[in-house]
Amino acid sequence: MPPKAPQGKAGKNDAASKAQSGKKDGGGGKAKKKKWSKGKQKEKINAAVFFDKNLYEKLKKEVPNYKLVTASIISERMRCNVTMARRAIKDLELKGMIRCISKHASQSLYTRALAAAE
C-alpha cells in the first residue's frame, strides 16, 4: 500500500516547511561549526620582580598617602608583583608609615598612619 498523500494546503505546507528547516539547520555534514569567542582577557602588564632604587623611593613617597592600602592596589599602581607589594607593606608598617585596619589570611587592609593617631 503506498503512503498516504498529505491532504489539502496544510499538508503541503508541512512538507515544504520540513524541507526548508532541514536546509536552515544544516542537519547534514555541511553545517558550519559555531565559533566560540575567546572572552574578555585582562591586558598583561610587565610587572617588576625586584625593587630598584627609583621604584622603592616612589613607593615610600606615594603609598603612605593612600587612604586604603592593599597588596593588589600597590601592585597595580606601582607595576610590581603582589609578592613584592606584600613585602613593601610589612616594611612600611614596621617603619610606622601605614597602620593595619584588618588582617585576614587572604586579604589585609591598611591605611595611612596619621600623626594625630600616634
Side-chain angles (χ1 to χ4, degrees):
M1 190 175 206
K4 290 184 179 180
Q7 296 175 354
K9 292 182 180 180
K12 289 180 183 177
N13 288 340
D14 288 342
S17 65
K18 284 181 184 178
Q20 287 177 353
S21 66
K23 290 178 184 176
K24 286 181 184 175
D25 293 338
K30 296 182 181 179
K32 291 184 179 178
K33 289 186 179 179
K34 185 175 179 181
K35 293 185 179 178
W36 292 93
S37 66
K38 293 184 180 178
K40 293 182 181 177
Q41 293 179 343
K42 191 174 181 183
E43 188 177 315
K44 189 159 184 159
I45 58 167
N46 290 330
V49 184
F50 297 107
F51 278 117
D52 58 349
K53 190 160 184 129
N54 294 337
L55 185 61
Y56 190 67
E57 292 300 320
K58 183 180 175 187
L59 178 104
K60 285 199 303 186
K61 183 181 175 187
E62 291 182 15
V63 173
N65 297 327
Y66 296 164
K67 279 188 176 180
L68 178 67
V69 179
T70 63
S72 56
I73 288 173
I74 291 176
S75 72
E76 192 174 300
R77 293 185 187 172
M78 298 290 163
R79 301 280 187 239
C80 64
N81 63 14
V82 181
T83 307
M84 285 176 50
R86 279 191 233 114
R87 284 290 185 94
I89 286 174
K90 285 180 187 176
D91 185 48
L92 293 172
E93 188 180 20
L94 287 174
K95 290 181 179 178
M97 295 178 167
I98 59 175
R99 65 182 177 88
C100 185
I101 298 171
S102 172
K103 198 158 190 127
H104 191 266
S106 59
Q107 185 78 22
S108 300
L109 300 175
Y110 296 85
T111 189
R112 55 188 171 200
L114 300 173
E118 292 177 0

